[in-house]
Amino acid sequence: MAGPRVVIIGAGVVGAALADEISARGWTEVTVVDQGPLPATGGSTSHAPGLVFQTNSSKTMTELARYTVEKFCSLDVDGKPCFLQVGGLEVATTPERLAELHRRHGWITAWGIESRLLSADECVEQHPLVDRDKVLGGLLVPTDGLAKAVLAVEAQIRRAGERGVRFLARHEVLDVLKADGEVTGVLTDQGEIPADIVVCCAGIWGPKIARMAGMNLPLTPLAHQLAWTGPVPALAGQTEEAVRPILRHQDADLYYRDRYDGIGIGYYGHRPMPISADDIRAFDDNAEMPSVLKFTEEDFEPAWAETQSLLPSTREAKIEEGINGLFSFTTDNFPLLGESQDVKGFWVAEAVWVTHSAGVGRAMAEWLVDGHCSSFDLHECDVNRFEPHQLSPEYVLARDCRNFEEVYDILHPLQPSGDPRPIRTSPFHARQQEHGAFFLEANGWERPQWYEANAPLVEGRTIPTPNDWAAQFWSPIVGAEAQATRETVALYDMTALKRLEVSGPGAADLLERLCTGKVAKSVGSVTYTLLLDHDGGIRSDITVARLARDLFQVGANGNLDLDWFTRHLPADGTVQVRDITPGTCCIGLWGPLARKVLQPLTEEDFSNDGLKYFRAKRAYIGSVPVTAMRLSYVGELGWELYTTADQGQKLWDTLWQAAQPLGGVIAGRGAFNSLRLEKGYRSFGTDMTYEHDPYEAGVGFAVKLDKGDFIGKAALLLRKENVGRRLTCLTIDDPQSVVMGKEPVYDGDRAVGYVTSAAYGYTIGKGIAYAWLPTDLTTPGTALHIGYFDQRVEATVAEEPLFDPTMSRLRG
């Protein structure tokens, strides 16, 4: 036996995958417990219809699905396959859905999986039951298919068992045992099992188990309807379980699969039916499995009527059985993976559907054994990503139910989130409302995208209107605000960006160990630097301002940065980290006239010599105490001005009163994004993630290899010599062809990369798209194409930055 003692709670498709993957990596002192019998334990796995569609807007989720398909295709139980690779077909019955299928084709192509767009006739060739007059076209992914989930569980249990993993059926977990903030084991109805690591893979019971470890898991089990027809005459004589592609009719919230001479029908169009994990019955208390609720026929009536329309041959069949089966939903549709912030050794792998199960098993095994995941970028899936308000029961229930309702909806990248809103408002919110702000949400914050009060700025300007898709949640005011920022001066609300305070006598040493740059510099220094994982991948890009000998302010990207700092705190208590975002606010004052606005309001010297670029100091702006940092994410002269929330509105009013006579404006996030792309500034989570290193991402300048050791340095030295791709700037001449991100990039007919961020550059008069490309295609002047719905948009590799390459405006 090798490795630490591990207990996995749940022997469904996720727990079985993790047991298989972790034992294959040499950890074999592993026990898997489940309250039900094996291999059909009574959870979601046991009733899952098994449809595996790999297409997803998230590259990570697609890659988790691809690994699941590849692994399941290699598994069998006594000759019975664990995957029926019949392909996956999505059909469109409206022009809007047909356009959406082109977008989905772009995603799956960008992520490197074969797919084909089909005509209506070709859809019928693939699935002859479909009414030719009903469909307009389709998307076929040949490698999709049906997972035999219970068989896959059995196959992986057998493999893990051969390596020494122990599986204990009929063991109900009653408690997670802890001592001094660490797990020590689990208590079951048949006794204690000691453990150094406990991994919760309990699925719909996850919130109940996590609570035993003091963890609030933002997951809601919701019922989802699945029905089976009796014999369909058109399928008479079919002896194979499935011969046609699995089918999605997303315009009606429906999906279909073969089952010999009958059809399985899944439906998301009914009312949300949430249930508490505490109310799910135990295995022996249920006539059926615990994850199956009584079928509500009245909810299924629209689904059956639409099915008979799309698949006319079903009119001669009847619904013979049905269930309301429970599945897990989360507030952002991503899984919940990772270790508890409060109890060392308690991990979760939750809200994982069969589609992604084997991929998650591999990811978790790598994370546990190696200390990081090298095969997948998990920043979207980390359970510690949430802000405190996103864990509230009201928020979780509302967002999870909304996600159920929208599971097949066509959602725009800027689609506003639903209730509850507003949740977080900056001190400037009332003023922003007075100026007609159009708000979108960012981590719960109401953040202006543009201001209707600036509509007169559009007159006399050339602001091209983008295509219909890009023009949603857009206004020509965005362009006017961007141009006005470059011409005069603008106020930007930067409150939504996370701010951390790192303090104590060990603060400088901690930051030096975590950061790629030298941050233990003179008081008043500000450093742009990176946080790396142990494999050299970028965990975040941050700014670190030294405000006193033992006091630093960190401009972070989100709660995962706070979690990373907290996990690396020295045990001696010499460093404290706290989130100061809620009690503070920030205004970005940027533009060529920014100094003319600010200097008359203060006795401090804000000249070029008085506060140099990337320096900070404390000052009074009028009567408001601020921390001023001379940085600019839009590429213009100016400062980030921080103060406490109680004085935020006063700061806004003071600056706005001084800016108006100079032609100053207030500006929103739409302008901000355009300006930062003109300047080539990266956005973590969009342009670069855990899978990328600094040299690929074009931020190698933030790495100081001549400083002492830092996390990821050794791995980075190896990666530095093997850069095979780069984040690359592309420009687009056609103003109508503004892309929005995640589109494939083509060299001829070959897909070679994908777009990350994109916007129109209102200063340079071109569309801008950043994309990951092979290094041999990153030479300026290289002509490429971007796949945008059913179009190919001409694009050209450009030298960056596109605006102010000499940095004269920033440093002036």
Side-chain angles (χ1 to χ4, degrees):
M1 307 290 278
R5 297 169 300 175
V6 179
V7 172
I8 298 172
I9 302 173
V13 74
V14 180
L18 175 56
D20 180 35
E21 296 284 344
I22 204 169
S23 60
R25 284 164 175 76
W27 283 15
T28 54
E29 197 165 344
V30 178
T31 301
V32 183
V33 297
D34 200 292
Q35 63 181 346
L38 299 176
T41 63
S44 299
T45 300
S46 302
H47 73 256
L51 289 82
V52 175
F53 287 94
Q54 297 166 86
T55 307
N56 196 290
S57 62
S58 164
K59 182 172 183 281
T60 295
M61 296 300 284
T62 295
E63 290 176 341
L64 291 169
R66 171 165 45 194
Y67 181 81
T68 301
V69 167
E70 291 171 353
K71 183 176 184 180
F72 282 10
C73 281
S74 71
L75 299 177
D76 70 87
V77 175
D78 301 330
K80 293 179 286 187
C82 293
F83 196 79
L84 307 177
Q85 202 159 44
V86 293
L89 175 63
E90 300 179 40
V91 294
T93 59
T94 65
E96 293 78 13
R97 182 66 61 178
L98 186 61
E100 172 72 356
L101 292 186
H102 282 276
R103 186 165 73 121
R104 296 174 66 80
H105 173 63
W107 294 339
I108 200 77
T109 301
W111 313 147
I113 294 178
E114 178 193 354
S115 65
R116 286 192 290 130
L117 289 162
L118 305 182
S119 67
D121 289 335
E122 290 171 321
C123 290
V124 176
E125 289 175 12
Q126 291 290 329
H127 202 298
L129 272 62
V130 170
D131 184 349
R132 166 62 181 79
D133 294 332
K134 182 87 173 176
V135 299
L136 303 178
L139 173 65
L140 178 70
V141 179
T143 52
D144 286 347
L146 283 168
K148 306 292 291 179
V150 175
L151 277 180
V153 168
E154 185 173 356
Q156 292 175 103
I157 284 176
R158 288 186 183 185
R159 286 167 34 139
E162 290 171 357
R163 303 186 191 107
V165 174
R166 185 171 58 144
F167 289 84
L168 301 178
R170 298 287 188 172
H171 280 61
E172 182 183 358
V173 174
L174 303 177
D175 199 7
V176 175
L177 305 177
K178 309 170 288 294
D180 299 322
E182 299 184 19
V183 297
T184 59
V186 298
L187 174 65
T188 77
D189 58 355
Q190 299 188 44
E192 294 185 12
I193 305 173
D196 305 301
I197 294 172
V198 174
V199 188
C200 179
C201 303
I204 54 178
W205 290 278
K208 181 179 178 180
I209 300 296
R211 201 180 310 121
M212 297 175 185
M215 188 176 186
N216 186 358
L217 203 64
L219 178 159
T220 303
L222 281 114
H224 159 59
Q225 291 200 303
L226 176 66
W228 300 96
T229 72
V232 176
L235 304 182
Q238 181 173 318
T239 57
E240 295 182 60
E241 180 178 353
V243 296
R244 277 163 289 279
I246 57 176
L247 179 66
R248 275 208 282 213
H249 176 24
Q250 291 170 293
D251 284 321
D253 299 306
L254 285 161
Y255 64 76
Y256 305 94
R257 56 151 294 178
D258 285 8
R259 189 174 71 169
Y260 301 103
D261 62 351
I263 294 175
I265 306 168
Y267 185 46
Y268 287 105
H270 55 80
R271 60 192 167 91
M273 304 178 197
I275 185 171
S276 169
D278 297 313
D279 294 334
I280 303 171
R281 290 174 289 184
F283 191 91
D284 292 324
D285 293 340
N286 215 17
E288 295 187 79
M289 63 184 76
S291 59
V292 170
L293 306 182
K294 183 180 178 182
F295 188 60
T296 50
E297 294 182 8
E298 64 277 10
D299 290 304
F300 195 73
E301 289 175 1
W304 183 230
E306 181 61 28
T307 296
Q308 292 175 310
S309 175
L310 181 73
L311 309 175
S313 58
T314 60
R315 297 169 189 167
E316 303 174 67
K318 294 181 179 180
I319 299 297
E320 291 199 345
E321 56 182 308
I323 64 170
N324 285 0
L326 295 175
F327 288 93
S328 300
F329 278 78
T330 64
T331 58
D332 58 6
N333 290 317
F334 286 101
L336 307 172
L337 312 179
E339 187 181 19
S340 164
Q341 291 179 319
D342 301 316
V343 179
K344 185 176 180 181
F346 183 76
W347 292 70
V348 299
E350 289 290 343
V352 181
W353 292 8
V354 172
T355 298
H356 310 104
S357 58
V360 166
R362 176 174 179 173
M364 291 296 295
E366 290 178 355
W367 200 349
L368 287 161
V369 175
D370 302 331
H372 60 87
C373 177
S374 57
S375 295
F376 307 98
D377 162 33
L378 296 182
H379 85 276
E380 295 170 310
C381 307
D382 193 312
V383 70
N384 296 303
R385 64 190 181 267
F386 300 104
E387 296 291 325
H389 75 272
Q390 294 172 322
L391 300 175
S392 71
E394 178 189 27
Y395 180 93
V396 171
L397 180 60
R399 291 294 170 91
D400 289 358
C401 288
R402 181 183 174 94
N403 286 340
F404 178 89
E405 293 172 334
E406 294 180 343
V407 70
Y408 281 170
D409 286 2
I410 299 171
L411 300 177
H412 191 273
L414 297 178
Q415 190 88 21
S417 55
D419 291 334
R421 276 185 71 187
I423 297 175
R424 309 173 83 181
T425 56
S426 79
F428 322 130
H429 188 252
R431 298 292 185 259
Q432 292 165 345
Q433 288 179 309
E434 291 169 5
H435 285 84
F438 179 83
F439 291 103
L440 296 178
E441 184 190 356
N443 290 325
W445 293 98
E446 295 295 316
R447 185 166 65 184
Q449 194 74 1
W450 69 82
Y451 295 88
E452 286 296 332
N454 287 330
L457 288 175
V458 177
E459 187 175 348
R461 298 178 183 273
T462 301
I463 310 291
T465 300
N467 55 75
D468 290 346
W469 182 252
Q472 293 185 58
F473 311 111
W474 174 89
S475 166
I477 298 170
V478 168
E481 290 177 357
Q483 291 179 355
T485 302
R486 297 258 188 252
E487 296 162 359
T488 56
V489 62
L491 278 67
Y492 287 84
D493 181 1
M494 304 300 291
T495 303
L497 299 182
K498 199 168 193 72
R499 294 172 289 287
L500 307 178
E501 182 183 272
V502 183
S503 61
D509 289 341
L510 172 67
L511 289 167
E512 283 293 326
R513 187 163 64 88
L514 297 181
C515 297
T516 61
K518 297 177 181 179
V519 297
K521 300 185 290 193
S522 62
V523 172
S525 65
V526 183
T527 306
Y528 174 81
T529 185
L530 308 172
L531 304 177
L532 302 183
D533 213 328
H534 295 276
D535 63 351
I538 301 170
R539 286 194 64 93
S540 189
D541 65 335
I542 61 175
T543 56
V544 179
R546 191 171 201 173
L547 303 181
R549 182 180 182 276
D550 296 330
L551 178 64
F552 296 81
Q553 181 172 310
V554 175
N557 281 299
N559 217 52
L560 290 180
D561 293 341
L562 174 61
D563 180 64
W564 186 251
F565 280 116
T566 303
R567 290 183 187 279
H568 290 88
L569 288 176
D572 60 10
T574 57
V575 187
Q576 296 79 46
V577 178
R578 67 186 185 102
D579 182 359
I580 62 172
T581 312
T584 57
C585 57
C586 179
I587 294 175
L589 179 71
W590 295 313
L593 303 184
R595 188 173 284 122
K596 290 186 177 181
V597 171
L598 194 64
Q599 189 61 76
L601 301 174
T602 180
E603 294 181 357
E604 293 290 332
D605 183 4
F606 276 85
S607 68
N608 200 33
D609 293 329
L611 187 62
K612 295 182 181 297
Y613 187 51
F614 265 80
R615 297 289 296 179
K617 69 178 175 182
R618 298 253 172 78
Y620 284 94
I621 305 302
S623 61
V624 180
V626 303
T627 299
M629 299 185 195
R630 191 173 167 194
L631 354 156
S632 169
Y633 206 52
V634 301
E636 291 290 339
L637 169 68
W639 302 268
E640 293 179 358
L641 302 171
Y642 299 88
T643 192
T644 51
D646 60 322
Q647 298 194 69
Q649 185 168 298
K650 179 62 174 176
L651 177 61
W652 178 281
D653 291 344
T654 300
L655 293 171
W656 179 233
Q657 185 176 359
Q660 281 183 283
L662 298 173
V665 301
I666 51 176
R669 189 70 179 183
F672 177 92
N673 196 51
S674 170
L675 296 172
R676 71 102 178 165
L677 286 175
E678 289 184 332
K679 193 60 183 167
Y681 292 148
R682 277 61 170 149
S683 174
F684 178 80
T686 303
D687 298 316
M688 54 191 185
T689 66
Y690 291 4
E691 69 173 297
H692 306 114
D693 71 50
Y695 303 108
E696 297 172 325
V699 289
F701 64 87
V703 178
K704 306 303 179 187
L705 293 174
D706 58 347
K707 64 172 274 185
D709 196 21
F710 55 85
I711 291 176
K713 182 177 181 178
L716 192 60
L717 289 171
L718 298 176
R719 294 178 69 152
K720 186 176 188 290
E721 305 305 321
N722 297 284
V723 177
R725 58 183 175 180
R726 294 190 187 278
L727 184 62
T728 306
C729 180
L730 304 174
T731 57
I732 301 165
D733 289 334
D734 181 3
Q736 290 288 308
S737 299
V738 176
V739 301
M740 300 204 68
K742 302 188 177 183
E743 296 89 358
V745 180
Y746 294 91
D747 177 28
D749 292 329
R750 180 172 61 107
V752 293
Y754 60 92
V755 174
T756 59
S757 295
Y760 190 78
Y762 297 100
T763 311
I764 66 167
K766 291 178 181 289
I768 306 167
Y770 272 78
W772 281 100
L773 296 173
T775 52
D776 61 345
L777 293 175
T778 60
T779 303
T782 301
L784 299 167
H785 290 86
I786 299 172
Y788 187 67
F789 290 91
D790 59 348
Q791 306 169 30
R792 290 291 182 90
V793 175
E794 294 182 357
T796 305
V797 175
E799 195 82 50
E800 60 172 331
L802 299 169
F803 178 78
D804 189 27
T806 64
M807 305 281 282
S808 60
R809 297 179 65 112
L810 277 167
R811 297 179 182 276

